[in-house]
Amino acid sequence: MKYAKEICEPIRDTASLWKKCRDLVDFNAFYQRCISDVCSVSSLEVSSPACVILSVVARECALQGAVVDNWSEHYSVDGRCGK
């Protein structure tokens, strides 16, 4: 569980990257989903659910009019998102 929290932490990050979207999308729901998904996969695939959830968050932000460009450059999970 501790590792899942570390992997999913970018979703809860209040840094400026997500700031313009913070009030438009339920980040807590995405964080909880990320924790659940990361805990349900084998250790070899652990970054994949977090990357998927982060891309969904970025897409939801865009749908709400708050485009978050290059999120994967800022939040690479184990160096695997967007690479």
PDB file of all heavy atoms in Angstrom, residues 1-3 5 7 9-10 16 18-19 21-22 25 27 33 36 39 43-44 46-47 50 55 66 72 74-76 80:
ATOM      1  N   MET A   1       0.823  -1.201   0.000  1.00  0.00           N
ATOM      2  CA  MET A   1       0.000   0.000   0.000  1.00  0.00           C
ATOM      3  C   MET A   1       0.866   1.263   0.000  1.00  0.00           C
ATOM      4  O   MET A   1       0.548   2.221  -0.673  1.00  0.00           O
ATOM      5  CB  MET A   1      -0.934  -0.033   1.200  1.00  0.00           C
ATOM      6  CG  MET A   1      -1.825   1.159   1.285  1.00  0.00           C
ATOM      7  SD  MET A   1      -3.107   1.117   0.052  1.00  0.00           S
ATOM      8  CE  MET A   1      -4.416   1.840   0.938  1.00  0.00           C
ATOM      9  N   LYS A   2       1.962   1.243   0.745  1.00  0.00           N
ATOM     10  CA  LYS A   2       2.838   2.414   0.803  1.00  0.00           C
ATOM     11  C   LYS A   2       3.382   2.750  -0.589  1.00  0.00           C
ATOM     12  O   LYS A   2       3.403   3.913  -0.995  1.00  0.00           O
ATOM     13  CB  LYS A   2       3.994   2.166   1.765  1.00  0.00           C
ATOM     14  CG  LYS A   2       4.952   3.327   1.875  1.00  0.00           C
ATOM     15  CD  LYS A   2       6.098   3.020   2.802  1.00  0.00           C
ATOM     16  CE  LYS A   2       7.085   4.164   2.817  1.00  0.00           C
ATOM     17  NZ  LYS A   2       8.302   3.857   3.534  1.00  0.00           N
ATOM     18  N   TYR A   3       3.790   1.721  -1.320  1.00  0.00           N
ATOM     19  CA  TYR A   3       4.318   1.943  -2.657  1.00  0.00           C
ATOM     20  C   TYR A   3       3.233   2.480  -3.586  1.00  0.00           C
ATOM     21  O   TYR A   3       3.482   3.365  -4.399  1.00  0.00           O
ATOM     22  CB  TYR A   3       4.925   0.651  -3.214  1.00  0.00           C
ATOM     23  CG  TYR A   3       5.655   0.855  -4.504  1.00  0.00           C
ATOM     24  CD1 TYR A   3       6.807   1.651  -4.552  1.00  0.00           C
ATOM     25  CD2 TYR A   3       5.214   0.283  -5.689  1.00  0.00           C
ATOM     26  CE1 TYR A   3       7.482   1.860  -5.736  1.00  0.00           C
ATOM     27  CE2 TYR A   3       5.886   0.484  -6.873  1.00  0.00           C
ATOM     28  CZ  TYR A   3       7.025   1.273  -6.896  1.00  0.00           C
ATOM     29  OH  TYR A   3       7.681   1.488  -8.063  1.00  0.00           O
ATOM     30  N   LYS A   5       0.751   4.345  -2.764  1.00  0.00           N
ATOM     31  CA  LYS A   5       0.564   5.759  -2.436  1.00  0.00           C
ATOM     32  C   LYS A   5       1.656   6.612  -3.077  1.00  0.00           C
ATOM     33  O   LYS A   5       1.388   7.703  -3.577  1.00  0.00           O
ATOM     34  CB  LYS A   5       0.534   5.963  -0.929  1.00  0.00           C
ATOM     35  CG  LYS A   5      -0.744   5.459  -0.295  1.00  0.00           C
ATOM     36  CD  LYS A   5      -0.751   5.694   1.187  1.00  0.00           C
ATOM     37  CE  LYS A   5      -2.060   5.197   1.799  1.00  0.00           C
ATOM     38  NZ  LYS A   5      -2.102   5.395   3.242  1.00  0.00           N
ATOM     39  N   ILE A   7       3.386   5.859  -5.818  1.00  0.00           N
ATOM     40  CA  ILE A   7       3.169   5.820  -7.260  1.00  0.00           C
ATOM     41  C   ILE A   7       2.045   6.777  -7.670  1.00  0.00           C
ATOM     42  O   ILE A   7       2.112   7.437  -8.696  1.00  0.00           O
ATOM     43  CB  ILE A   7       2.816   4.379  -7.707  1.00  0.00           C
ATOM     44  CG1 ILE A   7       4.043   3.475  -7.625  1.00  0.00           C
ATOM     45  CG2 ILE A   7       2.215   4.340  -9.099  1.00  0.00           C
ATOM     46  CD1 ILE A   7       5.069   3.730  -8.692  1.00  0.00           C
ATOM     47  N   GLU A   9       0.874   9.441  -5.982  1.00  0.00           N
ATOM     48  CA  GLU A   9       0.980  10.780  -5.400  1.00  0.00           C
ATOM     49  C   GLU A   9       0.879  11.923  -6.417  1.00  0.00           C
ATOM     50  O   GLU A   9       0.314  12.969  -6.104  1.00  0.00           O
ATOM     51  CB  GLU A   9       2.261  10.914  -4.584  1.00  0.00           C
ATOM     52  CG  GLU A   9       2.334  12.184  -3.777  1.00  0.00           C
ATOM     53  CD  GLU A   9       1.181  12.345  -2.777  1.00  0.00           C
ATOM     54  OE1 GLU A   9       0.672  11.342  -2.258  1.00  0.00           O
ATOM     55  OE2 GLU A   9       0.791  13.493  -2.537  1.00  0.00           O
ATOM     56  N   PRO A  10       1.387  11.765  -7.653  1.00  0.00           N
ATOM     57  CA  PRO A  10       1.254  12.880  -8.599  1.00  0.00           C
ATOM     58  C   PRO A  10      -0.181  13.344  -8.804  1.00  0.00           C
ATOM     59  O   PRO A  10      -0.412  14.512  -9.114  1.00  0.00           O
ATOM     60  CB  PRO A  10       1.844  12.311  -9.890  1.00  0.00           C
ATOM     61  CG  PRO A  10       2.835  11.308  -9.427  1.00  0.00           C
ATOM     62  CD  PRO A  10       2.216  10.690  -8.193  1.00  0.00           C
ATOM     63  N   SER A  16       1.555  23.666  -9.701  1.00  0.00           N
ATOM     64  CA  SER A  16       0.936  24.470 -10.747  1.00  0.00           C
ATOM     65  C   SER A  16       0.517  23.670 -11.974  1.00  0.00           C
ATOM     66  O   SER A  16      -0.377  24.079 -12.697  1.00  0.00           O
ATOM     67  CB  SER A  16       1.874  25.598 -11.152  1.00  0.00           C
ATOM     68  OG  SER A  16       3.079  25.075 -11.660  1.00  0.00           O
ATOM     69  N   TRP A  18      -1.266  20.995 -12.275  1.00  0.00           N
ATOM     70  CA  TRP A  18      -2.678  20.625 -12.193  1.00  0.00           C
ATOM     71  C   TRP A  18      -3.548  21.746 -11.633  1.00  0.00           C
ATOM     72  O   TRP A  18      -4.757  21.600 -11.550  1.00  0.00           O
ATOM     73  CB  TRP A  18      -2.861  19.394 -11.305  1.00  0.00           C
ATOM     74  CG  TRP A  18      -2.129  18.182 -11.777  1.00  0.00           C
ATOM     75  CD1 TRP A  18      -1.039  17.624 -11.183  1.00  0.00           C
ATOM     76  CD2 TRP A  18      -2.419  17.365 -12.913  1.00  0.00           C
ATOM     77  NE1 TRP A  18      -0.627  16.520 -11.888  1.00  0.00           N
ATOM     78  CE2 TRP A  18      -1.464  16.341 -12.946  1.00  0.00           C
ATOM     79  CE3 TRP A  18      -3.393  17.426 -13.900  1.00  0.00           C
ATOM     80  CZ2 TRP A  18      -1.457  15.371 -13.937  1.00  0.00           C
ATOM     81  CZ3 TRP A  18      -3.378  16.443 -14.892  1.00  0.00           C
ATOM     82  CH2 TRP A  18      -2.427  15.447 -14.904  1.00  0.00           C
ATOM     83  N   LYS A  19      -2.946  22.846 -11.251  1.00  0.00           N
ATOM     84  CA  LYS A  19      -3.663  23.908 -10.540  1.00  0.00           C
ATOM     85  C   LYS A  19      -4.896  24.411 -11.290  1.00  0.00           C
ATOM     86  O   LYS A  19      -5.960  24.569 -10.703  1.00  0.00           O
ATOM     87  CB  LYS A  19      -2.714  25.066 -10.257  1.00  0.00           C
ATOM     88  CG  LYS A  19      -3.287  26.105  -9.349  1.00  0.00           C
ATOM     89  CD  LYS A  19      -2.228  27.141  -8.999  1.00  0.00           C
ATOM     90  CE  LYS A  19      -2.770  28.090  -7.964  1.00  0.00           C
ATOM     91  NZ  LYS A  19      -1.755  29.013  -7.506  1.00  0.00           N
ATOM     92  N   CYS A  21      -6.809  22.936 -13.135  1.00  0.00           N
ATOM     93  CA  CYS A  21      -7.835  21.904 -13.264  1.00  0.00           C
ATOM     94  C   CYS A  21      -8.368  21.445 -11.904  1.00  0.00           C
ATOM     95  O   CYS A  21      -9.377  20.754 -11.827  1.00  0.00           O
ATOM     96  CB  CYS A  21      -7.246  20.722 -14.026  1.00  0.00           C
ATOM     97  SG  CYS A  21      -8.411  19.435 -14.418  1.00  0.00           S
ATOM     98  N   ARG A  22      -7.721  21.817 -10.847  1.00  0.00           N
ATOM     99  CA  ARG A  22      -8.014  21.322  -9.499  1.00  0.00           C
ATOM    100  C   ARG A  22      -9.491  21.460  -9.127  1.00  0.00           C
ATOM    101  O   ARG A  22     -10.061  20.549  -8.544  1.00  0.00           O
ATOM    102  CB  ARG A  22      -7.119  22.068  -8.493  1.00  0.00           C
ATOM    103  CG  ARG A  22      -7.183  21.628  -7.094  1.00  0.00           C
ATOM    104  CD  ARG A  22      -6.641  20.296  -6.710  1.00  0.00           C
ATOM    105  NE  ARG A  22      -5.398  19.868  -7.255  1.00  0.00           N
ATOM    106  CZ  ARG A  22      -5.033  18.597  -7.293  1.00  0.00           C
ATOM    107  NH1 ARG A  22      -5.807  17.667  -6.811  1.00  0.00           N
ATOM    108  NH2 ARG A  22      -3.888  18.239  -7.794  1.00  0.00           N
ATOM    109  N   VAL A  25     -12.109  18.899 -11.625  1.00  0.00           N
ATOM    110  CA  VAL A  25     -12.078  17.433 -11.659  1.00  0.00           C
ATOM    111  C   VAL A  25     -11.909  16.904 -10.240  1.00  0.00           C
ATOM    112  O   VAL A  25     -11.188  17.495  -9.435  1.00  0.00           O
ATOM    113  CB  VAL A  25     -10.904  16.959 -12.557  1.00  0.00           C
ATOM    114  CG1 VAL A  25     -10.728  15.460 -12.501  1.00  0.00           C
ATOM    115  CG2 VAL A  25     -11.124  17.418 -13.993  1.00  0.00           C
ATOM    116  N   PHE A  27     -10.102  14.998  -8.137  1.00  0.00           N
ATOM    117  CA  PHE A  27      -8.805  14.336  -8.052  1.00  0.00           C
ATOM    118  C   PHE A  27      -8.791  13.236  -7.001  1.00  0.00           C
ATOM    119  O   PHE A  27      -8.086  12.249  -7.150  1.00  0.00           O
ATOM    120  CB  PHE A  27      -7.703  15.369  -7.763  1.00  0.00           C
ATOM    121  CG  PHE A  27      -7.260  16.121  -8.978  1.00  0.00           C
ATOM    122  CD1 PHE A  27      -8.049  17.120  -9.522  1.00  0.00           C
ATOM    123  CD2 PHE A  27      -6.061  15.830  -9.584  1.00  0.00           C
ATOM    124  CE1 PHE A  27      -7.652  17.813 -10.655  1.00  0.00           C
ATOM    125  CE2 PHE A  27      -5.644  16.511 -10.719  1.00  0.00           C
ATOM    126  CZ  PHE A  27      -6.450  17.510 -11.249  1.00  0.00           C
ATOM    127  N   ARG A  33      -8.863   5.484  -7.142  1.00  0.00           N
ATOM    128  CA  ARG A  33      -8.861   4.484  -8.218  1.00  0.00           C
ATOM    129  C   ARG A  33      -7.445   4.030  -8.530  1.00  0.00           C
ATOM    130  O   ARG A  33      -7.186   2.848  -8.753  1.00  0.00           O
ATOM    131  CB  ARG A  33      -9.525   5.087  -9.461  1.00  0.00           C
ATOM    132  CG  ARG A  33      -9.506   4.191 -10.670  1.00  0.00           C
ATOM    133  CD  ARG A  33     -10.344   2.935 -10.410  1.00  0.00           C
ATOM    134  NE  ARG A  33     -10.225   1.971 -11.456  1.00  0.00           N
ATOM    135  CZ  ARG A  33     -11.092   1.794 -12.427  1.00  0.00           C
ATOM    136  NH1 ARG A  33     -12.158   2.535 -12.484  1.00  0.00           N
ATOM    137  NH2 ARG A  33     -10.878   0.876 -13.334  1.00  0.00           N
ATOM    138  N   SER A  36      -6.248   1.616  -5.833  1.00  0.00           N
ATOM    139  CA  SER A  36      -6.888   0.324  -6.037  1.00  0.00           C
ATOM    140  C   SER A  36      -6.270  -0.430  -7.209  1.00  0.00           C
ATOM    141  O   SER A  36      -5.966  -1.626  -7.112  1.00  0.00           O
ATOM    142  CB  SER A  36      -8.384   0.540  -6.275  1.00  0.00           C
ATOM    143  OG  SER A  36      -9.016  -0.668  -6.587  1.00  0.00           O
ATOM    144  N   CYS A  39      -2.590  -1.559  -6.513  1.00  0.00           N
ATOM    145  CA  CYS A  39      -2.551  -2.672  -5.562  1.00  0.00           C
ATOM    146  C   CYS A  39      -3.026  -3.990  -6.179  1.00  0.00           C
ATOM    147  O   CYS A  39      -2.731  -5.051  -5.658  1.00  0.00           O
ATOM    148  CB  CYS A  39      -3.404  -2.356  -4.336  1.00  0.00           C
ATOM    149  SG  CYS A  39      -2.658  -1.136  -3.245  1.00  0.00           S
ATOM    150  N   SER A  43       3.895  -6.727  -9.383  1.00  0.00           N
ATOM    151  CA  SER A  43       4.935  -5.711  -9.216  1.00  0.00           C
ATOM    152  C   SER A  43       5.591  -5.336 -10.544  1.00  0.00           C
ATOM    153  O   SER A  43       6.121  -4.242 -10.683  1.00  0.00           O
ATOM    154  CB  SER A  43       5.992  -6.184  -8.221  1.00  0.00           C
ATOM    155  OG  SER A  43       6.605  -7.372  -8.700  1.00  0.00           O
ATOM    156  N   LEU A  44       5.558  -6.218 -11.530  1.00  0.00           N
ATOM    157  CA  LEU A  44       6.173  -5.911 -12.820  1.00  0.00           C
ATOM    158  C   LEU A  44       5.378  -4.889 -13.611  1.00  0.00           C
ATOM    159  O   LEU A  44       5.902  -4.225 -14.490  1.00  0.00           O
ATOM    160  CB  LEU A  44       6.316  -7.198 -13.650  1.00  0.00           C
ATOM    161  CG  LEU A  44       7.254  -8.240 -13.080  1.00  0.00           C
ATOM    162  CD1 LEU A  44       7.219  -9.499 -13.951  1.00  0.00           C
ATOM    163  CD2 LEU A  44       8.675  -7.703 -12.991  1.00  0.00           C
ATOM    164  N   VAL A  46       3.410  -2.403 -12.097  1.00  0.00           N
ATOM    165  CA  VAL A  46       2.894  -1.439 -11.127  1.00  0.00           C
ATOM    166  C   VAL A  46       2.764  -0.016 -11.662  1.00  0.00           C
ATOM    167  O   VAL A  46       1.871   0.701 -11.274  1.00  0.00           O
ATOM    168  CB  VAL A  46       3.705  -1.483  -9.821  1.00  0.00           C
ATOM    169  CG1 VAL A  46       5.053  -0.811  -9.987  1.00  0.00           C
ATOM    170  CG2 VAL A  46       2.944  -0.873  -8.686  1.00  0.00           C
ATOM    171  N   SER A  47       3.617   0.397 -12.558  1.00  0.00           N
ATOM    172  CA  SER A  47       3.528   1.770 -13.044  1.00  0.00           C
ATOM    173  C   SER A  47       2.414   1.957 -14.076  1.00  0.00           C
ATOM    174  O   SER A  47       1.907   3.057 -14.244  1.00  0.00           O
ATOM    175  CB  SER A  47       4.855   2.230 -13.635  1.00  0.00           C
ATOM    176  OG  SER A  47       5.152   1.501 -14.802  1.00  0.00           O
ATOM    177  N   ALA A  50      -0.979   3.584 -12.852  1.00  0.00           N
ATOM    178  CA  ALA A  50      -0.774   4.984 -12.476  1.00  0.00           C
ATOM    179  C   ALA A  50      -0.637   5.846 -13.731  1.00  0.00           C
ATOM    180  O   ALA A  50      -1.206   6.934 -13.797  1.00  0.00           O
ATOM    181  CB  ALA A  50       0.447   5.132 -11.580  1.00  0.00           C
ATOM    182  N   SER A  55      -3.073   9.819 -17.290  1.00  0.00           N
ATOM    183  CA  SER A  55      -3.500  10.251 -18.617  1.00  0.00           C
ATOM    184  C   SER A  55      -5.000  10.539 -18.645  1.00  0.00           C
ATOM    185  O   SER A  55      -5.445  11.467 -19.320  1.00  0.00           O
ATOM    186  CB  SER A  55      -3.125   9.216 -19.680  1.00  0.00           C
ATOM    187  OG  SER A  55      -3.865   8.028 -19.540  1.00  0.00           O
ATOM    188  N   ALA A  66      -9.344  22.820 -19.280  1.00  0.00           N
ATOM    189  CA  ALA A  66      -8.058  23.113 -18.638  1.00  0.00           C
ATOM    190  C   ALA A  66      -7.011  22.121 -19.150  1.00  0.00           C
ATOM    191  O   ALA A  66      -6.729  21.110 -18.530  1.00  0.00           O
ATOM    192  CB  ALA A  66      -8.185  23.020 -17.122  1.00  0.00           C
ATOM    193  N   SER A  72       3.300  14.031 -18.658  1.00  0.00           N
ATOM    194  CA  SER A  72       4.183  12.877 -18.505  1.00  0.00           C
ATOM    195  C   SER A  72       5.648  13.282 -18.347  1.00  0.00           C
ATOM    196  O   SER A  72       6.434  12.533 -17.777  1.00  0.00           O
ATOM    197  CB  SER A  72       4.026  11.901 -19.669  1.00  0.00           C
ATOM    198  OG  SER A  72       4.396  12.507 -20.887  1.00  0.00           O
ATOM    199  N   HIS A  74       6.542  15.797 -16.514  1.00  0.00           N
ATOM    200  CA  HIS A  74       6.649  16.251 -15.133  1.00  0.00           C
ATOM    201  C   HIS A  74       6.497  15.106 -14.131  1.00  0.00           C
ATOM    202  O   HIS A  74       7.088  15.124 -13.070  1.00  0.00           O
ATOM    203  CB  HIS A  74       5.580  17.305 -14.833  1.00  0.00           C
ATOM    204  CG  HIS A  74       5.765  18.554 -15.610  1.00  0.00           C
ATOM    205  ND1 HIS A  74       6.627  19.546 -15.223  1.00  0.00           N
ATOM    206  CD2 HIS A  74       5.220  18.962 -16.775  1.00  0.00           C
ATOM    207  CE1 HIS A  74       6.591  20.520 -16.105  1.00  0.00           C
ATOM    208  NE2 HIS A  74       5.745  20.191 -17.059  1.00  0.00           N
ATOM    209  N   TYR A  75       5.653  14.137 -14.483  1.00  0.00           N
ATOM    210  CA  TYR A  75       5.333  13.055 -13.557  1.00  0.00           C
ATOM    211  C   TYR A  75       5.534  11.710 -14.217  1.00  0.00           C
ATOM    212  O   TYR A  75       4.605  11.053 -14.610  1.00  0.00           O
ATOM    213  CB  TYR A  75       3.888  13.166 -13.080  1.00  0.00           C
ATOM    214  CG  TYR A  75       3.626  14.404 -12.311  1.00  0.00           C
ATOM    215  CD1 TYR A  75       2.809  15.397 -12.814  1.00  0.00           C
ATOM    216  CD2 TYR A  75       4.213  14.596 -11.062  1.00  0.00           C
ATOM    217  CE1 TYR A  75       2.566  16.548 -12.096  1.00  0.00           C
ATOM    218  CE2 TYR A  75       3.984  15.754 -10.356  1.00  0.00           C
ATOM    219  CZ  TYR A  75       3.163  16.713 -10.874  1.00  0.00           C
ATOM    220  OH  TYR A  75       2.928  17.852 -10.165  1.00  0.00           O
ATOM    221  N   SER A  76       6.760  11.319 -14.336  1.00  0.00           N
ATOM    222  CA  SER A  76       7.012  10.002 -14.870  1.00  0.00           C
ATOM    223  C   SER A  76       7.001   9.029 -13.691  1.00  0.00           C
ATOM    224  O   SER A  76       7.597   9.278 -12.659  1.00  0.00           O
ATOM    225  CB  SER A  76       8.323  10.012 -15.619  1.00  0.00           C
ATOM    226  OG  SER A  76       9.228   9.145 -15.122  1.00  0.00           O
ATOM    227  N   ARG A  80       8.431   5.590 -16.635  1.00  0.00           N
ATOM    228  CA  ARG A  80       7.724   4.882 -17.698  1.00  0.00           C
ATOM    229  C   ARG A  80       6.587   5.654 -18.346  1.00  0.00           C
ATOM    230  O   ARG A  80       6.194   5.300 -19.431  1.00  0.00           O
ATOM    231  CB  ARG A  80       7.201   3.561 -17.163  1.00  0.00           C
ATOM    232  CG  ARG A  80       8.330   2.659 -16.749  1.00  0.00           C
ATOM    233  CD  ARG A  80       7.812   1.328 -16.307  1.00  0.00           C
ATOM    234  NE  ARG A  80       8.921   0.596 -15.709  1.00  0.00           N
ATOM    235  CZ  ARG A  80       8.801  -0.256 -14.757  1.00  0.00           C
ATOM    236  NH1 ARG A  80       7.626  -0.536 -14.262  1.00  0.00           N
ATOM    237  NH2 ARG A  80       9.843  -0.881 -14.280  1.00  0.00           N
TER     238      ARG A  80
END
